[in-house]
Amino acid sequence: MAKHSTTVLGRIARVVNDHRGASDRDLLLRFSSGNDQDAFTTLVNRHANMVMGVCQRALTNAADAEDACQATFLLLARKAKAGNWQPSIANWLYSAARKVARNARIAADRRARREGQAAVPDVVLPLDQMTGREAFAILDEELDRLPAVYREPLVLCYLQGLTRDEAAVRLRVLSATLKSQLERGRKRLGDSLTKRGVTLSAGLLALVATTRVGASPSRMIKSIQTIVSGEVPPTIAALTKGIAVNGVLKKLVIGVALLAVTAAIGIGLGQPTTTIAGQQAEKSKPEKQETKETSVAKAKPEQTIKVSGRVVDPDGKPVAGAKFAIIADEVEERIAEVKSGADGKFTFAMSYPKEVRNPRQVVASAPGFGVDWISEPREDAVFKLVPDLPIMGRVIDLQGKPVRGASVALHNIHAGTPEAFDALVKNWKKSADEQDKVAGKLERSIWNRGGLGEAFHTTTAADGSFTLAGCGKDRVVTLRISGAGIADTFADVVTQTGFDPKSAPKTPMRLYPPTFDLVVNPDKPVTGVVRDEATQKPLAGIRVIGAAMLGELHFGTYHFHAWPTPHTTTDAAGKFTLRGLAKAKAYVLVADPEEGTEHLHRFALLEDSTAFTPITADFTLPRGVVVTGRVTDAATGAGVPSRVFYRPLMINDQLGNFGGYDPPDYPAPWHRGRDTKTDMDGRFKITVMPGAGVVNFQAYGGSYTRAKATQKEIDDGIVDKQFGHFRALGQGGMYNPEFMHAYKVIYPAAKDKTATLDVQVRPEEPPKPKDGK
């Protein structure tokens, strides 16, 4: 047996060497056209670990997982002649394995019912010993939902262990392109997992990546070779029935690639300003090993959420007197004076207003320690505080004079394992490509979504000095410094003893040590009045947001903070004065009414004036059509919380009447259109332009069928024939029907003030077996 295994493995090595430079598409062509079994063996060798890992995470029985893995490659062999293959088939195999494993799970459940017993694993896989299966199931589910252009780099680099350069070669793309896709894929996946109560950490990805084939490599590959040659066991053949896995079409890849380009300049669907929860994750039983990824606290809207658990120090000992803060952008909420007891335990209740979809991170802090946080309220929370290193600095102006009374607020915190952080600092002098290999491991973050700066802030003294404690040691901490007469300034601080900023190369982002001086610039004031376009009456309560166009995008490898976006609100006379902008060559402003009110937004591009004299910018806002409606589940009729996006179409004959609806041709931190979100009952209100437009809907939580354009919409110029996206003003490529769970093309008239739009999203259904069971 050992000799046979050695022979097989030796042959595999020769085959791999023979086909090392061939793409997956080339290998499939050789197999389908010339029955090249060695080519197919190379494909199996490349992807078997990933496919088996998907099957193991979905199935509790080791034998079932092996059957599903073999059935996936059988399906590939049968569809090899289908054509339209991409250079890499990792995406196709990942989706196919998920669907085959689902069939296997249905078959296992049916078998267990026939035998009158629960379906239990006959062998406990290592996966079950390391972490909860639910977390991996959620990870695979959200990974499967990513657009193909983002999912495949993650599959290749994390599930198959390829380096970024190797993955770029496999996908036939530039290394820089692959890097961008990885970054955006990680961001999207992390946001999706956070909504489900799971943190995307290096440890979780490492566990997924190290899930390996349970059978010996030689036996697994020999089994696959046997079934592909025609000797297919009935049980494996049954798993492939009803499976339809489409190849990744070229137009979809190009369309989503355009999305990545527009997202790179900071505007677009890929960078939401908040993290929104879908359906609450169900409460799970605590595991023997303490974890903060279980037992999400549940509550219905208008009720309260119970948050309870323990606060411990770095050694696991209880911490008494810890305080708590809620980070939310949708509602301001203060926790009553609640502190952890002598045993470190605590309990308090959070409100759950109907309009809140944000999971709202909860932060725990105690004197002498660095903060810890959970991504979503829960009843079994364990906050493990970390050692602290207070940040001490001094804010001075361009003349070296101290700035008194400036606000120094915590903006973001980025943490990772000590090893990852040490690697970050050690590799700082290397190229951006080398840095990126370690930077991505600092993936546990808390972002300022409206409450972080309010909970953790201080003010500079007469000599410009400040001390901010509690951020934690060995982290990258972003501070936001603001005040009267100074430009809003971000400082990214490395809270590590001995960090030397002089070792850092010149990059758009600068790192500061824990003790530093920060030089701030004067701000550039902008004043103006916002009026109704038709009546010229002043409009009160309109938010005015500004961005200084500094000539560089500041989206480097280590740019940890958001774009500075100072804002203000018009008074009763419609007047505003915007402070906090840095002096620049040009400025982009937007007068942005609250979503669902009668006015539409309007952008303006302002040229700089002499020195620091104020700039005047007046706005007149046109009226739109207020659309109200509800998103419901087609099967149950229940409301479905969703994101809602509106874009006017290029065929809209009213575009000439709404100049300034699109931002200027500069990178700006806003969407080109209107975006909102429903309440927990699926109800929404959004303001649209008269004329042709499209309203798109993406449901949170649950599995819903993706939308699909009609041929008439393509013929009418609503959907692009080549790339498949809506031909909408601005970022049309980002709004592909297949990215949405529902959409409606609307044609409101200019005389209309209101309109109603109700939509349904349809749940995905697993394939039904032919026997009807």
Side-chain angles (χ1 to χ4, degrees), residues 35-50:
N35 195 28
D36 187 339
Q37 295 295 325
D38 286 347
F40 196 83
T41 298
T42 300
L43 287 172
V44 175
N45 189 70
R46 283 181 181 179
H47 300 288
N49 278 334
M50 181 271 291

Side-chain angles (χ1 to χ4, degrees), residues 337-605:
E337 193 63 23
V338 175
K339 296 183 179 180
S340 59
D343 57 359
K345 294 183 178 180
F346 66 90
T347 298
F348 62 84
M350 287 174 54
S351 66
Y352 194 12
K354 183 177 181 180
E355 68 273 14
V356 171
R357 296 151 301 277
N358 198 309
R360 295 183 291 167
Q361 291 170 307
V362 180
V363 181
S365 61
F369 296 103
V371 300
D372 190 23
W373 60 91
I374 56 175
S375 60
E376 194 168 348
R378 55 200 328 109
E379 297 180 30
D380 59 351
V382 177
F383 293 93
K384 188 172 184 178
L385 306 183
V386 300
D388 193 28
L389 180 61
I391 299 173
M392 295 182 289
R394 193 167 65 102
V395 181
I396 56 178
D397 63 18
L398 294 178
Q399 287 74 43
K401 297 180 180 180
V403 177
R404 179 178 183 176
S407 169
V408 181
L410 182 55
H411 191 69
N412 301 321
I413 299 178
H414 298 264
T417 64
E419 294 79 11
F421 189 88
D422 290 342
L424 165 70
V425 177
K426 180 180 178 181
N427 288 276
W428 188 254
K429 294 183 68 175
K430 295 185 178 181
S431 68
D433 286 345
E434 290 293 321
Q435 294 171 18
D436 186 60
K437 294 178 181 179
V438 295
K441 296 177 182 177
L442 293 182
E443 291 178 341
R444 185 167 184 259
S445 304
I446 180 169
W447 298 89
N448 188 359
R449 298 204 305 269
L452 192 59
E454 287 80 355
F456 300 95
H457 67 276
T458 188
T459 303
T460 57
D463 63 351
S465 65
F466 69 89
T467 298
L468 187 63
C471 299
K473 188 179 180 181
D474 292 338
R475 291 172 169 176
V476 176
V477 175
T478 302
L479 303 179
R480 184 168 188 171
I481 296 87
S482 58
I486 65 174
D488 285 6
T489 306
F490 290 106
D492 298 296
V493 183
V494 176
T495 58
Q496 185 183 65
T497 304
F499 172 71
D500 182 8
K502 294 181 181 179
S503 65
K506 292 182 179 180
T507 64
M509 176 191 157
R510 176 182 177 183
L511 290 180
Y512 292 89
T515 301
F516 65 99
D517 288 347
L518 179 69
V519 179
V520 295
N521 294 308
D523 72 336
K524 184 75 173 184
V526 180
T527 64
V529 180
V530 181
R531 304 179 185 275
D532 179 279
E533 186 171 67
T535 66
Q536 293 298 303
K537 292 182 178 180
L539 297 175
I542 303 296
R543 194 180 193 206
V544 180
I545 311 169
M549 312 317 297
L550 300 174
E552 47 189 36
L553 296 181
H554 291 276
F555 280 87
T557 303
Y558 291 113
H559 192 63
F560 291 114
H561 56 72
W563 191 292
T565 52
H567 63 274
T568 187
T569 304
T570 58
D571 61 17
K575 296 181 179 180
F576 69 89
T577 298
L578 181 64
R579 305 300 301 261
L581 287 173
K583 183 174 173 61
K585 294 181 179 180
Y587 310 85
V588 172
L589 266 67
V590 59
D592 193 33
E594 182 179 352
E595 194 55 74
T597 56
E598 60 183 341
H599 290 94
L600 292 168
H601 65 261
R602 179 156 274 168
F603 283 92
L605 175 64

Side-chain angles (χ1 to χ4, degrees), residues 18-238:
D18 291 343
H19 296 299
R20 185 181 299 277
S23 69
D24 290 350
R25 178 171 53 200
D26 294 338
L27 294 172
L28 273 178
L29 178 62
R30 295 176 192 178
F31 171 70
S32 60
S33 60
N35 195 28
D36 187 339
Q37 295 295 325
D38 286 347
F40 196 83
T41 298
T42 300
L43 287 172
V44 175
N45 189 70
R46 283 181 181 179
H47 300 288
N49 278 334
M50 181 271 291
V51 172
M52 188 62 180
V54 172
C55 298
Q56 285 181 337
R57 293 191 294 276
L59 298 161
T60 60
N61 185 289
D64 290 342
E66 288 188 23
D67 285 351
C69 178
Q70 295 176 49
T72 302
F73 283 102
L74 173 63
L75 192 64
L76 174 65
R78 289 177 172 176
K79 294 183 177 291
K81 295 182 179 180
N84 290 328
W85 294 104
Q86 294 300 307
S88 169
I89 62 171
N91 250 340
W92 190 94
L93 282 171
Y94 181 85
S95 295
R98 294 257 302 152
K99 294 179 180 181
V100 170
R102 182 174 59 188
N103 277 1
R105 190 168 57 248
I106 293 172
D109 291 343
R110 187 183 303 120
R111 184 173 65 246
R113 286 195 299 270
R114 285 198 307 266
E115 296 172 357
Q117 57 186 8
V120 297
D122 57 356
V123 176
V124 177
L125 299 172
L127 173 64
D128 296 319
Q129 298 170 346
M130 290 186 288
T131 187
R133 181 173 295 276
E134 290 183 358
F136 282 159
I138 292 172
L139 175 65
D140 276 319
E141 185 176 332
E142 294 302 331
L143 185 59
D144 200 20
R145 289 178 178 175
L146 285 179
V149 72
Y150 295 138
R151 180 176 63 242
E152 191 153 33
L154 291 173
V155 169
L156 290 174
C157 291
Y158 287 112
L159 272 63
Q160 295 194 229
L162 271 63
T163 67
R164 196 173 66 202
D165 291 341
E166 290 170 341
V169 171
R170 184 75 59 84
L171 293 171
R172 301 300 195 262
V173 299
L174 296 175
S175 181
T177 301
L178 193 282
K179 173 186 171 185
S180 175
Q181 292 170 345
L182 271 176
E183 290 173 347
R184 284 162 178 78
R186 282 198 302 257
K187 175 65 167 59
R188 287 193 172 202
L189 181 60
D191 289 346
S192 299
L193 291 175
T194 299
K195 299 168 192 174
R196 304 284 298 275
V198 176
T199 300
L200 179 62
S201 64
L204 181 61
L205 287 172
L207 287 174
V208 175
T210 54
T211 301
R212 293 293 183 249
V213 178
S216 66
S218 60
R219 183 168 68 83
M220 175 60 71
I221 292 174
K222 182 174 176 55
S223 298
I224 293 172
Q225 289 173 329
T226 300
I227 64 171
V228 169
S229 299
E231 300 176 22
V232 183
T235 54
I236 293 179

Side-chain angles (χ1 to χ4, degrees), residues 629-646:
R630 187 171 182 235
V631 184
T632 56
D633 187 303
T636 66
V640 178
S642 307
R643 289 196 74 178
V644 185
F645 313 96
Y646 164 77

